[in-house]
Amino acid sequence: MKIFVYGTLKPGEENYQIYCAGKVVNTTRAVAQGKLFALPMGYPAMTPGDSAVYGYLLSFENQDVLMALDELEDYHPDRDASENLYNRKQIETQDLQGNLLGYAWVYIMTEELAIQLQGIHQPNGWWSGFNKHK
């Protein structure tokens, strides 16, 4: 099972150690199509779009990790999508050379909500918690 991460779940970021360390069987730098926003709360949001969003493709042995990540991302599959902070969907991913890596789960926000939350578009497609104040 693969998850594309672009924010606090990336290796070296604050939530990786809590939710992913010791469970990840493979880590690959990856890119997906979308639009990236830095939110003032200190984490990013990926929305649908046609720009490159850079992150990591994390592979897990089983899907048990999804329950904890759904909770972290305030995603409840039985709730109306408009009531979730993020929604989980499958998207196509590529490596940095453009080779297909297959489909992966991603937590995605609507652009309307990202803007409502005063998100700042990140045209370079990369977010890091280490440069929040830049």
Side-chain angles (χ1 to χ4, degrees):
M1 197 245 342
K2 297 176 182 176
I3 301 176
F4 177 74
V5 297
Y6 54 85
T8 65
L9 291 167
K10 292 187 305 191
E13 297 289 349
E14 65 178 309
N15 282 325
Y16 180 86
Q17 214 42 47
I18 300 165
Y19 292 91
C20 304
K23 299 176 184 134
V24 174
V25 293
N26 192 35
T27 303
T28 307
R29 288 287 312 266
V31 62
Q33 293 299 111
K35 194 171 179 182
L36 193 63
F37 291 85
L39 300 177
M41 297 78 90
Y43 53 84
M46 179 175 161
T47 68
D50 55 10
S51 301
V53 175
Y54 295 92
Y56 290 86
L57 191 61
L58 303 181
S59 299
F60 296 88
E61 286 279 332
N62 56 53
Q63 297 199 6
D64 295 352
V65 71
L66 284 179
M67 285 177 51
L69 295 181
D70 286 352
E71 191 69 28
L72 172 69
E73 305 292 4
D74 191 22
Y75 167 70
H76 300 275
D78 53 353
R79 194 160 67 182
D80 188 73
S82 64
E83 296 176 23
N84 289 324
L85 182 61
Y86 292 88
N87 285 290
R88 178 166 41 89
K89 64 178 273 188
Q90 288 203 304
I91 58 164
E92 202 168 80
T93 59
Q94 300 176 339
D95 66 17
L96 300 184
Q97 290 73 42
N99 301 306
L100 292 178
L101 295 172
Y103 281 85
W105 290 110
V106 68
Y107 290 91
I108 204 155
M109 185 180 282
T110 64
E111 187 167 345
E112 296 76 23
L113 183 54
I115 290 167
Q116 181 185 331
L117 294 173
Q118 301 177 338
I120 299 166
H121 180 228
Q122 306 294 294
N124 69 352
W126 179 257
W127 177 91
S128 175
F130 300 116
N131 63 1
K132 284 181 206 164
H133 305 294
K134 288 187 178 178

